[in-house]
Amino acid sequence: MSSASIPVRTRFAPSPTGFLHLGGARTALFSWAYARHFGGTFILRVEDTDLERSTPEAVQAILEGMAWLGLTPDEGPFYQMQHMDRYRAVVADMLAQGTAYHCYSSPAEVDEMRERARALGQKPRYDGTWRPEPGKTLPAIPSDRKPVVRFKSPQDGATGWVDMVKGPITFDNSELDDLVIARPDGTPTYNFCVVVDDWDMRITHVLRGDDHVNNTPRQITILRALGAPVPEYGHVPMILGPDGEKLSKRHGAVSVMEYDRDGYLPEAMVNYLARLGWSHGDDELFSREQLVAWFDPQHLSKSAAQWDPKKLNWVNAHYIKQSEDAALAQAVAPRIAVRGGDTQKVDLTQVVALLKDRAETLEQLAESAMLFCGAFQPATPELVAQHLTGPARLVLKDFAAQAASIEWTRTALSALVKSTLATHGLKMPQLAIPLRVAVAGTTQTPAIDAVLEILGKSTVLERLALA
Ligand code: GLU
């Protein structure tokens, strides 16, 4: 049992069989935040023993996703494949101590045992044929067969824990049959590797998805047989899609890096993911530091969280708005370049300062920045006919003539707009819209004085002359 005096050690233990998806990222985030909150240690352990499904690309994708989210491990990455000797040694110790035994039942025989149990209306299980007991005579060892190693699981009583998320959970030991911990070729099995590593890494708190609840009693019984401390466990419910169904590719069961590509900021992602299954009062927006300061496992939710793309956009918009203009300009520049825009011809910092309040993603910001960085898209003939009427052109001509000689600042441009309105007895839209159509090719832009300032004197005068 861990206590307040033992330093907190948590781990994120992904299987590298795919990218870092949202569920995994959230588990990593909770484990990281828990360790940080208690001044503990966060460990990354790659569970790569499933050789058929694990790939180096997936390992890279996981490391990349964690780095993007800023979830830096204090120890690791460790790789289970590098611990094989240790697992084998622990299996040997357990055989020597009698907490594990060789089982020569063939897979077909084990299948039959399961069938028999099922026919009797029981849970399918290994029947204990090779389980040594005092006074029991074991069958003759078949010469043509290599044994598996089974854990001698306690048969009486119950195994339980107080889950940090779900509260008390108990399994009758009679439900747990003797788990295979090593295969005929000696390779250790999944639950066993987890146990040995959690023990060796002195893990005090395990936060993971609730798809692992059924593994936990098995892991606890093995830890106890080893005389190892049992960590605290917290099983986090899964993330559901906006439709209440299992999260699918369509709405988020994708790599966190796709959110990077789509223009989400890692700070926004961390904030949003933290709120999926954890809360601090009604706070929706909080910094990484606040998350760490507030992260309290008592406020992990027992019920499944629902993925809400609209809310993610709202959170992202907040972080975009909050970003330093210069940093934002740097982040958005490559996205403008991909669109064929030229980020040199304007002051990009000024552009993002003007546009960032309306963007939900960096992609949207890049798109709107094309007004300044992209090639000029003249207005359609319909817009021209509607807004650049004879009288409107006269006003624009007057505006252009005066604009040629003013200092090119937003303040001066704003004053010129106002004086032109006064001179011609017009209301704001009667000048602002023709100006927009003439210089931007559209009726919708941010504040016209700001747009004119950023476009620059020569561009504006050129476009007005052609209007
Ligand atoms: N490797 C497991 C997974 O990716 C996690 C194991 C654990 O956290 O105990 O689902």
Side-chain angles (χ1 to χ4, degrees):
M1 277 291 135
S2 71
S3 73
S5 60
I6 299 174
V8 164
R9 292 173 63 84
T10 67
R11 82 317 191 262
F12 175 51
S15 302
T17 55
F19 40 66
L20 180 64
H21 54 74
L22 298 169
R26 187 189 58 163
T27 304
L29 176 62
F30 286 170
S31 300
W32 172 88
Y34 192 87
R36 286 284 173 281
H37 178 78
F38 290 103
T41 303
F42 172 60
I43 297 160
L44 174 58
R45 176 172 88 218
V46 178
E47 303 205 321
D48 56 352
T49 57
D50 184 341
L51 296 179
E52 268 164 35
R53 298 180 59 224
S54 302
T55 65
E57 293 76 26
V59 172
Q60 278 319 308
I62 290 165
L63 297 180
E64 189 190 14
M66 290 184 68
W68 182 63
L69 292 169
L71 305 179
T72 319
D74 303 301
E75 292 179 17
F78 298 110
Y79 296 87
Q80 287 193 318
M81 281 310 287
Q82 291 173 4
H83 301 166
M84 282 295 154
D85 291 347
R86 168 69 179 150
Y87 306 141
R88 286 175 198 263
V90 179
V91 169
D93 284 348
M94 291 178 72
L95 284 168
Q97 283 163 15
T99 51
Y101 62 91
H102 283 127
C103 162
Y104 293 87
S105 300
S106 68
E109 287 166 350
V110 174
D111 281 348
E112 281 167 28
M113 294 171 195
R114 296 210 171 108
E115 271 318 309
R116 273 200 298 276
R118 228 175 254 131
L120 293 171
Q122 294 164 358
K123 220 174 150 177
R125 65 200 329 272
Y126 171 69
D127 71 0
T129 300
W130 291 89
R131 180 179 168 111
E133 299 289 2
K136 173 175 168 187
T137 312
L138 295 176
I141 294 178
S143 55
D144 59 339
R145 209 177 282 161
K146 282 197 163 168
V148 299
V149 178
R150 285 187 186 269
F151 170 55
K152 200 172 172 193
S153 196
Q155 288 180 318
D156 304 324
T159 299
W161 70 97
V162 181
D163 197 274
M164 286 190 278
V165 180
K166 293 177 182 281
I169 299 182
T170 308
F171 285 78
D172 277 339
N173 287 340
S174 61
E175 282 183 42
L176 312 171
D177 63 357
D178 289 351
L179 185 75
V180 173
I181 58 172
R183 301 184 184 91
D185 65 0
T187 57
T189 56
Y190 169 73
N191 275 298
F192 185 71
C193 300
V194 172
V195 161
V196 173
D197 280 336
D198 283 344
W199 180 27
D200 286 352
M201 295 175 179
R202 291 170 288 124
I203 300 301
T204 58
H205 297 80
V206 172
L207 281 167
R208 60 185 172 198
D210 66 1
D211 47 333
H212 287 280
V213 166
N214 288 330
N215 289 326
T216 305
R218 296 192 175 279
Q219 294 178 5
I220 292 176
T221 50
I222 300 173
L223 284 164
R224 290 205 176 119
L226 289 167
V230 177
E232 308 263 345
Y233 293 92
H235 291 89
V236 187
M238 63 165 142
I239 304 174
L240 299 178
D243 48 8
E245 299 289 325
K246 198 166 174 280
L247 200 59
S248 73
K249 280 230 160 66
R250 199 162 41 83
H251 39 48
V254 294
S255 165
V256 290
M257 297 315 290
E258 276 189 39
Y259 289 89
D260 177 28
R261 281 189 282 282
D262 291 349
Y264 292 86
L265 299 176
E267 306 88 277
M269 222 47 205
V270 163
N271 186 149
Y272 179 71
L273 281 172
R275 278 291 290 112
L276 277 180
W278 175 81
S279 57
H280 180 266
D282 291 332
D283 291 306
E284 293 292 354
L285 298 168
F286 38 80
S287 66
R288 193 180 287 265
E289 291 69 32
Q290 284 171 315
L291 166 63
V292 167
W294 294 341
F295 194 78
D296 165 359
Q298 271 156 20
H299 291 106
L300 284 167
S301 167
K302 283 189 185 26
S303 46
Q306 208 152 345
W307 185 253
D308 179 351
K310 283 207 191 89
K311 188 162 156 199
L312 172 62
N313 282 359
W314 175 76
V315 173
N316 202 47
H318 164 80
Y319 281 91
I320 288 179
K321 220 177 285 179
Q322 252 199 356
S323 295
E324 295 278 341
D325 296 338
L328 206 51
Q330 216 176 355
V332 88
R335 298 176 191 268
I336 295 172
V338 163
R339 290 172 161 77
D342 176 1
T343 54
Q344 303 300 320
K345 71 179 183 191
V346 283
D347 178 348
L348 196 54
T349 306
Q350 214 180 359
V351 171
V352 303
L354 178 65
L355 300 174
K356 69 178 184 177
D357 286 1
R358 304 162 185 229
E360 288 186 325
T361 65
L362 295 182
E363 282 295 277
Q364 285 178 11
L365 187 55
E367 196 56 50
S368 53
M370 289 299 282
L371 171 63
F372 302 105
C373 304
F376 178 47
Q377 309 282 342
T380 59
E382 291 76 30
L383 280 186
V384 170
Q386 194 182 346
H387 298 288
L388 298 184
T389 56
R393 279 172 205 270
L394 284 178
V395 179
L396 288 188
K397 208 167 167 202
D398 181 27
F399 183 88
Q402 309 213 38
S405 59
I406 62 164
E407 191 197 352
W408 205 258
T409 61
R410 184 168 178 179
T411 320
L413 284 159
S414 167
L416 179 59
V417 168
K418 286 196 190 111
S419 65
T420 310
L421 294 178
T423 312
H424 295 269
L426 300 173
K427 300 241 177 301
M428 183 56 107
Q430 293 171 294
L431 174 57
I433 292 185
L435 267 174
R436 287 190 171 106
V437 172
V439 305
T442 162
T443 55
Q444 310 241 330
T445 73
I448 189 63
D449 48 358
V451 170
L452 295 174
E453 185 194 23
I454 295 175
L455 282 173
K457 189 179 218 167
S458 57
T459 303
V460 168
L461 295 182
E462 219 170 87
R463 292 182 189 174
L464 285 176
L466 291 174

